[in-house]
Amino acid sequence: MKYGFFDDNALEYVITTPKTPLPWINYLGNKEFFSLISNTCGGYTFYKDAKLLRLTRYRYNNVPYDNNGKYFYIKDEDTIWNPGWQPVKTQLDSYECRHGLGYSTWKSSKNDVSAEVLTFVPMDDNCEVSKITLTNNKKSSAKITLFSYVEWCLWNADDDMKNFQRNLSTGEVEVTDGGSVIYHKTEYRERRNHYAVYGVNSKVDGFDTSRDAFLGAYNGPDSPDAVKNGKCTGELASGWSPIASHQIDVSLEPGESKTFIFTLGYIENPEDAKWESYGVINKEKAKAMLAKYADVSSVDSALAELKDYWKGLLSIYHVSSSNEKVDRMVNIWNQYQCMVTFNMSRSASYYESGIGRGMGFRDSCQDLLGFVHLIPDRARQRIIDIASTQFQDGSAYHQYQPLTKKGNSDIGSGFNDDPLWLIAGTSAYIRETGDLSILNEMVPFDNDMSVAKTLMGHLKCSFDFTATHKGPHGLPLIGRADWNDCLNLNCFSEHPGESFQTFGPSEGPVAESVFIAGMFVKYGEEYAELAELLGDNAEAERARAEVKKVYDAACTAGWDGEWFVRAYDANSNKVGSKECEEGQIFIEPQGFCVLAGIGVEEGLAEKALKSVEEKLDTKYGVMILQPAYTKYHLELGEVSSYPPGYKENGGIFCHNNPWVSIAETVLGHGNRAFEIYKKTCPAYIEEISEIHCTEPYVYSQMVAGKDAKFFGQGKNSWLTGTAAWTFVNISQYILGVYPTHKGLSINPCVPEGFGDFSITRKYRGATYNISVKQNGAQKGITKLVVNGKEVSGNVIPYEEGVKEYTVEAQIG
Ligand code: GLC
Ligand code: GLC
């Protein structure tokens, strides 16, 4: 069952009922000011950091669960309704929500009054602009009242939920222009240099800034007293819960429309210009911001600018094939999700509260892989930011806070895969741009410039960390965990409440990871290539010798007969082996070792992928492990803490499905690679939205596995490494346009009957118009013609100064 449809020409997903199985959300903002917004207008706004600088309140873990948003109420005689249906939930006569790239719109009607709402964050301002147009379609004139509503968060979202003894006394506001402009200035009197503003471009007939006054002490936003009475109270908040609400009485003749523009902004002032007069905030910048969006034409042109920006970004990789769903995902939604994950890492979604996790070290490095072609300059800065939090021995904080860019140990350190992801991200950046200068940038350790090294020096630390932290089988030590945060082999937690991520020793001398072995082979080689590019052949040779040792260990101690072992635990027992009672096979080493090339020549790779197909595959995707753990294993940690079929315990953890799909392309299996691609691909499962539940335009972290009661149900949508890895899979391996250090390589691996396709790829200042003919085969370029000349091999030779490449390729 579907709850909407894709409008590919408009680059939008159209939701036709507010009652989606879960809130279906969108992200507004591209740089520093962001909002999450659901199809019923729930959500919240923050500047830079969802924990430390949150502008509006959201209530996670509440009922109903999409609780609080930036709402408009329309009172038309005795009927009160919202364009997004929530929070009043009056049955609407019509409803449509469109989520576009960085904006959302609603078109709803009730009793012959219609409302059109557009909400977006303009390109270069720290504000969210909402344009609302009310139209009277009745035969008689209408007198309606429009109310706005936002509830302020007292900035630190974590503290805001806990520290009531203080917070209920600190709230402060200012109101100007007869109530049209409301300022939230809590803590501005002391150490903050920022305030928020919510203004409307018209005269108002009332306002409120106190939540209790507006709602009535015992009411929720679903039945505000002020709206019921048709009149705001004009109360100035002092402590408790400050809000901002405008009341506008609107008379409309039959057929008449009126438009209002509301702007919610964030303003920072320098220390010496904080005040206009004693106790009165300096509003200069706020006034300028509100003035900028005070008329419809400037709002429309700011939206046009945003749309052009996205069109430009999406023209960097564009495919036309006979497969509409592939085109839609590649050209629109997958790349859009890559931008969102790059911006947010795992910090703020409807499943990530914005107070737990900042920018993950491994997460952000992987997000780069799907984002780097879009805005390489931002990727470059991100690499430097991440590397700046690394420790001198190469290990890493698991996350850093976006506002301060400093690592913190709140969710641990000592995840031994972390260091290698830095090589992955840097190599992807250089293959995309050719910019070797980044390797010579001086980058601090743990933000301490006195111990800086070049970025290449950091990569060496990453490489050496793994090379020198090996266990009894010559495999890399796992530390607290590797990519699978829940494989806590040194933790031995026996008491509830102990964090699996921080409890116990950060490293034991025995527990090893075959997955990290796969990573080391893949990214160790990429490190060696970088060393060569810098002319350091001795280092490249040394690196390759280290890689060889781990490769051999993976093929021996890491091999279980039919598939790769997952790990060795702290007692040196196998994890993910036929010898185990539960958890006999895990997906990660099969996907990653094979995509790294391990066991391809030896015939192990074919076997490993066959085993994946036999033991882990389902109709909704490939599960992370089988059989799922039915009891808690002290020696394995969190992985066995989840009920079977959920999350890391046998869920379809979408992130590693593309690894297996890529691995299949390495072996030339286009049919199977594509089959795996399709199973978790949103556009392909849109039809089963009532089972899948999460948004049909983006990937979710997890789909419940076959052992779970709700097999096929998605959870944790939006912020997942699945976005980047799937884009890498489809764009670089299946469609086969892969950036190498020497130029673009063309080597697709597609299913039989996929048909001919063409790709436009902008790369290092040139445009490549690539057309691929499929003569029935799945893989293997038999002819490559570049600007009329046949070339041998797969790589399009890069020629300085050539701006257009016409490339004709033939498979089979
Ligand atoms: C979560 C984390 C990611 C981790 C994965 C597997 O998605 O964000 O870092 O690799 O879980 O445990
Ligand atoms: C839990 C989750 C995992 C996540 C980790 C870090 O272990 O299962 O997916 O990566 O927490 O927050």
Side-chain angles (χ1 to χ4, degrees):
M1 185 180 157
K2 299 203 293 179
Y3 300 84
F5 58 91
F6 287 96
D7 182 344
D8 293 340
N9 286 333
L11 312 180
E12 291 171 339
Y13 191 81
V14 188
I15 303 170
T16 49
T17 165
K19 295 183 196 171
T20 46
L22 289 165
W24 284 3
I25 76 161
N26 194 13
Y27 284 82
L28 313 179
N30 293 294
K31 293 176 180 163
E32 301 192 314
F33 186 96
F34 299 102
S35 291
L36 284 67
I37 193 153
S38 75
N39 59 312
T40 61
C41 296
Y44 61 95
T45 295
F46 61 93
Y47 175 69
K48 277 191 184 171
D49 192 311
K51 175 176 172 182
L52 299 176
L53 288 175
R54 196 177 297 200
L55 273 79
T56 63
R57 246 181 213 161
Y58 188 74
R59 293 196 171 74
Y60 282 96
N61 195 13
N62 221 300
V63 278
Y65 44 37
D66 191 13
N67 201 304
N68 226 6
K70 283 153 278 170
Y71 296 128
F72 293 109
Y73 297 85
I74 294 163
K75 179 168 159 59
D76 175 11
E77 300 184 0
D78 289 337
T79 307
I80 297 169
W81 58 284
N82 308 99
W85 183 61
Q86 288 235 68
V88 176
K89 292 194 281 194
T90 299
Q91 173 83 38
L92 300 174
D93 296 337
S94 67
Y95 162 95
E96 181 186 271
C97 165
R98 289 175 172 256
H99 285 322
L101 308 182
Y103 66 92
S104 292
T105 65
W106 288 262
K107 210 187 221 173
S108 311
S109 64
K110 181 74 189 171
N111 297 347
D112 292 321
V113 171
S114 68
E116 288 188 36
V117 181
L118 157 75
T119 302
F120 69 105
V121 172
M123 286 305 301
D124 294 312
D125 279 307
N126 295 322
C127 62
E128 179 189 294
V129 176
S130 296
K131 180 177 86 168
I132 174 164
T133 301
L134 301 172
T135 305
N136 176 15
N137 300 312
K138 300 182 209 249
K139 300 219 163 50
S140 54
S141 59
K143 281 200 180 318
I144 54 186
T145 315
L146 173 69
F147 296 87
S148 67
Y149 178 74
V150 306
E151 182 180 356
W152 302 113
C153 178
L154 307 186
W155 299 112
N156 181 330
D158 189 20
D159 190 73
D160 188 62
M161 296 200 303
K162 299 194 298 219
N163 197 5
F164 303 107
Q165 60 78 25
R166 169 181 163 83
N167 295 344
L168 295 178
S169 295
T170 55
E172 288 190 286
V173 297
E174 276 182 39
V175 176
T176 64
D177 303 84
S180 295
V181 189
I182 297 169
Y183 296 87
H184 174 230
K185 59 170 190 178
T186 300
E187 292 188 348
Y188 190 78
R189 61 167 61 244
E190 26 130 348
R191 293 153 297 172
R192 292 193 183 274
N193 64 351
H194 44 266
Y195 60 78
V197 58
Y198 194 41
V200 58
N201 70 336
S202 107
K203 281 205 161 80
V204 298
D205 299 283
F207 69 88
D208 258 314
T209 64
S210 150
R211 191 183 74 197
D212 285 351
F214 180 76
L215 298 179
Y218 290 94
N219 297 334
D222 58 330
S223 61
D225 275 349
V227 179
K228 283 183 281 182
N229 298 335
K231 190 82 204 119
C232 281
T233 70
E235 179 85 38
L236 281 177
S238 174
W240 301 106
S241 293
I243 58 149
S245 172
H246 307 93
Q247 173 206 333
I248 307 174
D249 300 337
V250 190
S251 315
L252 293 171
E253 292 309 313
E256 192 186 357
S257 297
K258 281 189 182 152
T259 299
F260 303 93
I261 299 160
F262 292 83
T263 302
L264 171 69
Y266 170 90
I267 303 290
E268 244 171 49
N269 278 329
E271 204 53 41
D272 57 3
K274 274 177 75 169
W275 305 101
E276 177 184 304
S277 58
Y278 185 75
V280 179
I281 60 177
N282 176 351
K283 305 184 180 66
E284 230 169 279
K285 289 186 189 169
K287 285 184 188 158
M289 181 187 273
L290 296 178
K292 189 164 168 191
Y293 298 102
D295 61 274
V296 170
S297 65
S298 54
V299 171
D300 290 349
S301 61
L303 178 69
E305 193 191 343
L306 176 67
K307 288 188 177 181
D308 283 349
Y309 170 76
W310 268 104
K311 280 203 186 107
L313 290 180
L314 295 177
S315 71
I316 298 168
Y317 193 115
H318 185 95
V319 62
S320 303
S321 75
S322 54
N323 198 318
E324 170 187 73
K325 292 179 175 136
V326 169
D327 291 6
R328 156 187 308 153
M329 288 313 300
V330 171
N331 297 338
I332 309 169
W333 294 99
N334 198 170
Q335 296 199 62
Y336 183 53
Q337 192 179 359
C338 284
M339 166 75 102
V340 172
T341 55
F342 174 84
N343 285 336
M344 302 287 136
S345 192
R346 304 297 167 270
S347 66
S349 75
Y350 266 31
Y351 310 87
E352 303 276 8
S353 64
I355 61 175
R357 302 200 282 171
M359 309 297 285
F361 191 100
R362 82 152 80 86
D363 296 325
S364 295
C365 287
Q366 288 172 88
D367 294 342
L368 279 168
L369 307 178
F371 172 81
V372 62
H373 66 293
L374 291 174
I375 314 179
D377 282 352
R378 286 188 66 200
R380 189 184 205 273
Q381 185 58 48
R382 179 65 58 79
I383 291 167
I384 306 283
D385 289 348
I386 296 170
S388 304
T389 68
Q390 190 176 28
F391 295 114
Q392 289 186 68
D393 71 352
S395 66
Y397 287 109
H398 205 39
Q399 66 134 37
Y400 68 97
Q401 218 42 54
L403 185 67
T404 62
K405 295 190 175 176
K406 291 207 165 118
N408 68 54
S409 304
D410 290 357
I411 60 159
S413 58
F415 295 80
N416 281 357
D417 62 318
D418 272 335
L420 294 172
W421 292 116
L422 185 62
I423 301 179
T426 308
S427 158
Y429 168 78
I430 296 173
R431 285 186 288 104
E432 179 68 31
T433 59
D435 169 24
L436 283 174
S437 76
I438 191 175
L439 294 173
N440 297 323
E441 292 279 341
M442 291 304 283
V443 181
F445 286 96
D446 196 3
N447 290 94
D448 180 355
M449 208 55 199
S450 71
V451 288
K453 274 191 182 161
T454 63
L455 180 64
M456 189 62 183
H458 279 257
L459 301 191
K460 180 170 186 299
C461 292
S462 286
F463 182 88
D464 287 345
F465 181 87
T466 312
T468 58
H469 288 72
K470 289 197 283 198
H473 300 90
L475 292 163
L477 291 172
I478 196 167
R480 284 203 185 279
D482 58 22
W483 171 88
N484 188 332
D485 272 331
C486 298
L487 207 54
N488 316 116
L489 305 182
N490 294 305
C491 180
F492 294 93
S493 168
E494 286 184 280
H495 302 106
E498 286 163 357
S499 158
F500 290 105
Q501 265 75 49
T502 54
F503 185 76
S506 68
E507 187 163 281
V510 177
E512 300 165 292
S513 161
V514 179
F515 171 76
I516 301 181
M519 279 189 81
F520 189 69
V521 170
K522 168 111 180 105
Y523 299 122
E525 171 57 29
E526 296 194 9
Y527 170 71
E529 285 169 15
L530 294 178
E532 269 170 356
L533 287 172
L534 292 184
D536 193 347
N537 292 337
E539 179 63 359
E541 207 175 303
R542 177 187 81 93
R544 290 196 172 110
E546 291 294 339
V547 166
K548 174 79 174 54
K549 289 186 213 162
V550 172
Y551 183 109
D552 291 342
C555 288
T556 50
W559 183 248
D560 198 48
E562 298 295 322
W563 58 80
F564 290 99
V565 179
R566 178 63 177 86
Y568 283 86
D569 70 17
N571 297 313
S572 233
N573 293 320
K574 285 180 182 173
V575 180
S577 152
K578 57 180 179 296
E579 293 165 20
C580 304
E581 194 191 325
E582 313 191 295
Q584 293 174 340
I585 174 170
F586 281 63
I587 195 174
E588 304 98 310
Q590 325 311 329
F592 224 89
C593 289
V594 177
L595 77 79
I598 301 176
V600 174
E601 280 169 21
E602 298 83 344
L604 309 183
E606 285 278 355
K607 279 192 189 163
L609 296 188
K610 264 269 151 292
S611 301
V612 168
E613 191 168 354
E614 276 163 24
K615 296 185 180 291
L616 297 177
D617 209 7
T618 77
K619 60 180 170 177
Y620 298 129
V622 186
M623 294 175 291
I624 194 169
L625 64 87
Q626 276 294 299
Y629 296 102
T630 59
K631 34 182 195 266
Y632 177 57
H633 293 250
L634 185 63
E635 76 288 3
L636 302 180
E638 189 170 7
V639 68
S640 61
S641 75
Y642 285 112
Y646 291 113
K647 295 276 289 180
E648 281 88 340
N649 187 17
I652 297 157
F653 214 93
C654 301
H655 187 135
N656 39 40
N657 277 237
W659 296 345
V660 178
S661 183
I662 293 171
E664 294 285 1
T665 69
V666 168
L667 300 186
H669 303 158
N671 290 340
R672 175 75 181 141
F674 194 63
E675 185 187 331
I676 297 169
Y677 171 77
K678 283 197 298 191
K679 284 184 184 191
T680 55
C681 181
Y684 279 93
I685 51 179
E686 186 197 10
E687 296 282 351
I688 55 155
S689 288
E690 80 286 8
I691 297 172
H692 186 63
C693 294
T694 49
E695 295 91 332
Y697 39 91
V698 291
Y699 286 89
S700 295
Q701 180 208 57
M702 187 214 50
V703 172
K706 76 165 174 50
D707 304 288
K709 177 168 178 195
F710 299 110
F711 180 34
Q713 187 176 72
K715 275 200 194 115
N716 306 0
S717 56
W718 279 100
L719 303 187
T720 161
T722 316
W725 273 105
T726 306
F727 190 69
V728 167
N729 177 31
I730 186 74
S731 65
Q732 299 181 9
Y733 290 90
I734 294 179
L735 300 174
V737 180
Y738 180 93
T740 73
H741 291 299
K742 298 205 178 79
L744 283 182
S745 136
I746 311 292
N747 196 10
C749 181
V750 287
E752 286 161 46
F754 188 79
D756 302 344
F757 57 96
S758 58
I759 288 172
T760 313
R761 176 72 157 95
K762 294 187 181 153
Y763 177 70
R764 300 195 190 180
T767 301
Y768 293 73
N769 298 305
I770 304 159
S771 51
V772 180
K773 290 231 168 314
Q774 187 193 19
N775 286 345
Q778 297 177 48
K779 193 175 183 184
I781 290 290
T782 50
K783 195 172 179 193
L784 188 65
V785 180
V786 180
N787 288 342
K789 274 186 271 167
E790 186 155 353
V791 302
S792 64
N794 294 100
V795 179
I796 303 166
Y798 178 74
E799 283 178 64
E800 195 69 50
V802 176
K803 293 275 171 236
E804 286 280 324
Y805 292 80
T806 303
V807 182
E808 292 153 76
Q810 188 171 307
I811 315 173

